[in-house]
Amino acid sequence: MADTIREYFTDLFRSSAPSPATIRKATGGIHTRLTEEMRDDLNRVFTADEIKAAVFSMGPTKAPGPEGFQALFFQKF
């Protein structure tokens, strides 16, 4: 019985990555909608002014980020 339980939970929490062929088959019909210009814009380095505008556009007391700080902390300091 212990072996059955162990095997069940081992299989339950095991991940199996799809093969590259499976990924190509699943995404083969999806066409790119980004132009070269759009890709270049997304890959460029952000300016300090853009980062400041993004930080100050957030609600100051909204949910904290992964580090636990609310936007107010970054807006203030």
Side-chain angles (χ1 to χ4, degrees):
M1 185 162 180
D3 289 339
T4 302
I5 292 169
R6 186 179 308 108
E7 184 179 321
Y8 172 78
F9 284 102
T10 299
D11 290 344
L12 181 65
F13 295 112
R14 180 178 296 142
S15 68
S16 58
S19 70
T22 302
I23 292 172
R24 278 192 302 277
K25 184 177 177 181
T27 60
I30 299 173
H31 301 288
T32 304
R33 294 187 180 255
L34 292 177
T35 64
E36 271 308 307
E37 183 181 348
M38 292 171 162
R39 281 192 208 119
D40 291 342
D41 195 39
L42 289 170
N43 287 322
R44 71 179 172 72
V45 177
F46 298 109
T47 66
D49 289 336
E50 290 173 317
I51 295 169
K52 184 176 180 179
V55 169
F56 280 88
S57 72
M58 294 186 283
T61 58
K62 296 297 181 185
E67 71 289 307
F69 294 108
Q70 294 176 325
L72 179 63
F73 174 83
F74 298 103
Q75 293 167 351
K76 182 93 171 149
F77 300 103

